[in-house]
Amino acid sequence: MKTLHLMRHAKSAWDQPGLPDRERKLNKRGKRDAPRMGEVLAQNMVAQSIAVSPARRAQLTLDGLCVGWPALADFEHVTEESLYTFDSADLLEWISIQPNHHSSLFLIGHNPALTDLVNKLVGRRCLDNLPTAGYARLTLDVETWSQVLAGSSSLVRTLFPKELSKGVAGPAQADC
C-alpha cells in the first residue's frame, strides 16, 4: 500500500503580464492560504520531504507550508523539473520511477495535471477541480510505484482553503 499526497500551488499573481509563467509569484490570497494549509496539515499528518515543481509559485507555496508547519523545514525538499507540467501522464511517469522504499510521496504541482491525475488514479471523475492550495490524499493499492495504474487508488482526504474559513478542523473525508 502506498500513499500519494498532492497539493496544487497557492494562488498566483497575474499583475506582471510579461513575466514568464515559471516566474509568477503568489498573490495576497496565495500568501495567506499556504501557511494556513500547513497549520491544518500539520495537525493531521507526519511531516515528510516534498517534491516540488521549479515554478516560483510552487516554491513559494512550499515556503508558506513550512511557515505554518515548522516541522517541514527539518526535511530536505526536492525541486523536480518533471513536476512543472500540466499533463497527468507526465506526473504518472514521474511517480512510476520513484524508489519503492518510499511508502508515500508528497508533491506540489499544477493543474490541470493534478486534478486529472486524481481522476485517472481513482478510475472515474470524482474531483472537478483541485483548487489553488488544495490538497488531496490518495491510497494506492500497489506494492511498488511502477504498479500505479488507472483505477488503482482511492481518494481518501481533501482539504481546500475555502474550508478553512468555515472552521473545518482537519481534512475532510473524500467522497470517492
Side-chain angles (χ1 to χ4, degrees):
M1 184 76 77
K2 302 283 189 188
T3 303
L4 185 60
H5 305 273
L6 303 173
M7 185 167 201
R8 184 175 172 196
H9 64 78
K11 188 74 173 167
S12 59
W14 289 90
D15 57 349
Q16 295 178 288
L19 196 64
D21 181 69
R22 284 178 177 248
E23 297 303 317
R24 288 190 292 119
K25 298 178 181 179
L26 299 181
N27 70 10
K28 184 177 179 179
R29 188 173 97 195
K31 290 175 187 175
R32 179 196 70 205
D33 287 347
R36 291 172 63 220
M37 291 293 290
E39 288 174 22
V40 175
L41 290 173
Q43 297 168 17
N44 294 281
M45 60 186 286
V46 176
Q48 66 183 57
S49 178
I50 296 176
V52 61
S53 160
R56 182 120 174 98
R57 60 194 180 274
Q59 298 286 319
L60 292 171
T61 298
L62 176 59
D63 292 347
L65 279 178
C66 290
V67 168
W69 189 358
L72 277 182
D74 295 337
F75 286 83
E76 184 175 328
H77 305 293
V78 181
T79 298
E80 291 282 348
E81 184 65 34
S82 300
L83 299 182
Y84 182 70
T85 184
F86 308 100
D87 186 338
S88 63
D90 295 338
L91 293 179
L92 192 54
E93 183 178 326
W94 181 85
I95 290 166
S96 73
I97 61 169
Q98 296 311 298
N100 290 317
H101 68 273
H102 295 296
S103 62
S104 73
L105 296 173
F106 192 139
L107 32 133
I108 297 174
H110 308 274
N111 254 358
L114 292 171
T115 298
D116 292 346
L117 180 65
V118 168
N119 291 328
K120 184 180 288 188
L121 292 179
V122 170
R124 68 188 193 299
R125 185 176 181 86
C126 81
L127 185 65
D128 289 329
N129 178 49
L130 186 62
T132 52
Y135 165 82
R137 181 184 310 154
L138 295 102
T139 57
L140 295 83
D141 191 20
V142 297
E143 295 300 318
T144 67
W145 293 110
S146 63
Q147 296 172 322
V148 175
L149 302 169
S152 65
S153 307
S154 298
L155 178 62
V156 294
R157 297 272 186 237
T158 59
L159 179 65
F160 304 154
K162 69 179 180 180
E163 296 168 333
L164 301 181
S165 61
K166 295 178 183 175
V168 173
Q173 183 72 30
D175 292 333
C176 292

